[in-house]
Amino acid sequence: MTDSHRQQDVVDVLTSDHHEVMDLLRQIWATDDPGRRRDLADTVISELVRHSVAEEMHVYPAMKRHLPDGDAAVEHDTEEHKELEQTMKELESVDAADSRFTELLRRLEETLRDHVADEESDQFPQLRARVPRDEMVELAAKVESAKRLAPTRPHPAAPNAELFHKMVGPGVGMVDRLRDKLTGRSTG
Ligand SMILES: [Fe+2]
Ligand SMILES: [Fe+2]
């Protein structure tokens, strides 16, 4: 039974998202098939936008409330989310067979690795130390439901970019459209 009775807290959920995305990136490097790379990259974008939006909606406000250096940490993290989004916006419209795709993917991975390391080694442990356990479990549910608001959640093992594009729109603008859907803003 291990610890299956232990409810996941928000750090468990976010950390497993991080692992999932880093693993998808490894899968992209492991193939040189452009179609497969495109599919996996679209799944990375979808997962990472959901994750970032959910953090900004529910987790970063909690960091501001509970961490002594919360404001500065959130400002720094939000800035990195913007960098990640900018790279993803370029990545979504570049040909997967183009060398630019590899450059952008490398940039995305580097920024993400730094960002994830900050969160996991600094902010998440502080949250666990300062936020009551029941609130941490509640935050996990809020993050899960924020991520579900967008129309599809492609499974990493079976990227479903085609269905995703049908529901969210064509490749260009995917990052913005997805963010708008998650935050309830209208794209018009
Ligand atoms: Fe983040
Ligand atoms: Fe994160």
Side-chain angles (χ1 to χ4, degrees):
M1 277 279 177
T2 62
D3 60 350
S4 60
H5 291 300
R6 184 182 164 276
Q7 275 183 298
Q8 289 210 319
D9 74 6
V10 70
V11 169
D12 295 317
V13 171
L14 298 173
T15 305
S16 100
D17 284 354
H18 291 167
H19 291 165
E20 195 173 289
V21 171
M22 295 313 285
D23 182 60
L24 284 163
L25 288 166
R26 270 189 294 275
Q27 290 181 50
I28 300 180
W29 295 124
T31 178
D32 47 19
D33 173 44
R36 175 86 180 132
R37 284 192 153 191
R38 176 78 271 158
D39 235 9
L40 288 163
D42 286 351
T43 306
V44 164
I45 291 169
S46 164
E47 292 300 311
L48 201 48
V49 172
R50 282 164 214 275
H51 174 87
S52 307
V53 170
E55 278 183 342
E56 288 172 23
M57 287 171 81
H58 300 295
V59 185
Y60 290 0
M63 276 163 48
K64 280 190 180 181
R65 281 198 303 277
H66 295 283
L67 271 46
D69 59 347
D71 286 345
V74 167
E75 198 181 317
H76 173 81
D77 284 351
T78 308
E79 216 35 66
E80 284 182 340
H81 279 188
K82 281 188 197 147
E83 269 177 55
L84 291 167
E85 283 195 20
Q86 201 46 53
T87 307
M88 287 190 285
K89 278 186 201 177
E90 291 185 56
L91 191 62
E92 71 187 0
S93 52
V94 86
D95 190 325
D98 200 302
S99 66
R100 181 78 183 137
F101 180 90
T102 315
E103 274 170 44
L104 288 165
L105 201 65
R106 191 157 287 138
R107 191 207 289 167
L108 185 76
E109 191 172 39
E110 274 167 22
T111 314
L112 188 63
R113 189 169 286 136
D114 276 1
H115 182 71
V116 159
D118 277 355
E119 288 181 341
E120 291 185 9
S121 69
D122 184 9
Q123 288 121 44
F124 291 176
Q126 286 199 64
L127 274 177
R128 267 196 179 141
R130 292 167 192 276
V131 180
R133 161 103 190 131
D134 55 347
E135 196 180 329
M136 291 293 278
V137 172
E138 230 170 81
L139 278 171
K142 284 182 179 165
V143 161
E144 294 283 23
S145 90
K147 282 163 59 189
R148 270 197 302 270
L149 283 177
T152 62
R153 182 178 160 74
H155 192 278
N160 201 347
E162 200 187 325
L163 175 65
F164 180 81
H165 285 147
K166 261 188 213 138
M167 307 198 67
V168 181
V172 178
M174 180 163 125
V175 170
D176 289 326
R177 282 165 197 250
L178 185 50
R179 173 175 274 281
D180 286 350
K181 283 199 189 284
L182 288 165
T183 54
R185 280 196 317 233
S186 167
T187 34

